[in-house]
């Protein structure tokens, strides 16, 4: 899969990129909301792994804006925000899945495979 990972925490970014690359995914990484919007609209991805707490625009805003631009790439939000209202907001703004940090990496991989099957 070709993935866009949107994460501003350097440690988490390294973990995600390393793990996904080891699983033979092609990964582009951006660390802020505006860059995520631009990349998601300009490139074709199989999925977007999207953090919520980002500089420049929240993950909610990123998801809304890429959907408004007609981008239908599956989005999985990966965030520490675990409230029911956050999960509902994430799904209602256009995300296809929502995974709470900390998470098992194997679960992220399974969710990405599930998103890939929907296409």
């Amino acid at each position: 899969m070709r993935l866009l990972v949107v994460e501003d925490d350097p440690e988490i970014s390294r973990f995600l990129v390393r793990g996904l690359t080891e699983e033979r995914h092609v990964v582009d990484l951006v660390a802020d909301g505006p860059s995520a919007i631009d990349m998601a609209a300009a490139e074709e991805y199989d999925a977007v792994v999207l953090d919520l707490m980002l500089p420049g625009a929240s993950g909610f805003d990123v998801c809304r804006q890429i959907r408004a631009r007609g981008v239908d790439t599956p989005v999985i939000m990966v965030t520490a925000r675990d409230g029911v209202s956050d999960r509902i907001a994430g799904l209602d703004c256009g995300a296809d899945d929502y995974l709470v940090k900390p998470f098992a990496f194997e679960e992220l991989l399974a969710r990405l495979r599930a998103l890939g099957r929907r296409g």
Side-chain angles (χ1 to χ4, degrees):
M1 293 180 92
R2 182 159 187 226
L3 304 172
L4 176 61
V5 173
V6 186
E7 173 61 62
D8 65 323
D9 182 293
E11 186 176 328
I12 296 171
S13 295
R14 282 190 299 275
F15 166 75
L16 289 171
V17 170
R18 183 180 63 244
L20 292 167
T21 302
E22 286 174 2
E23 292 293 322
R24 301 188 192 269
H25 297 288
V26 175
V27 180
D28 290 335
L29 173 68
V30 295
D32 64 83
S35 296
I37 295 164
D38 291 342
M39 289 289 290
E43 302 290 333
E44 281 197 34
Y45 292 101
D46 297 304
V48 177
V49 178
L50 179 62
D51 186 25
L52 277 184
M53 306 299 287
L54 298 167
S58 74
F60 295 131
D61 293 332
V62 169
C63 199
R64 275 189 214 96
Q65 289 188 41
I66 67 172
R67 295 299 188 227
R69 292 184 182 195
V71 176
D72 62 357
T73 304
V75 173
I76 180 169
M77 290 188 169
V78 179
T79 178
R81 293 178 61 173
D82 63 352
V84 172
S85 61
D86 293 318
R87 290 179 290 196
I88 291 168
L91 296 168
D92 283 349
C93 76
D96 298 276
D97 200 355
Y98 195 103
L99 182 61
V100 177
K101 295 176 187 172
F103 57 88
F105 188 71
E106 294 80 12
E107 182 178 1
L108 174 62
L109 293 174
R111 289 171 182 259
L112 288 169
R113 287 191 302 271
L115 289 177
R117 286 191 301 269
R118 291 183 194 168

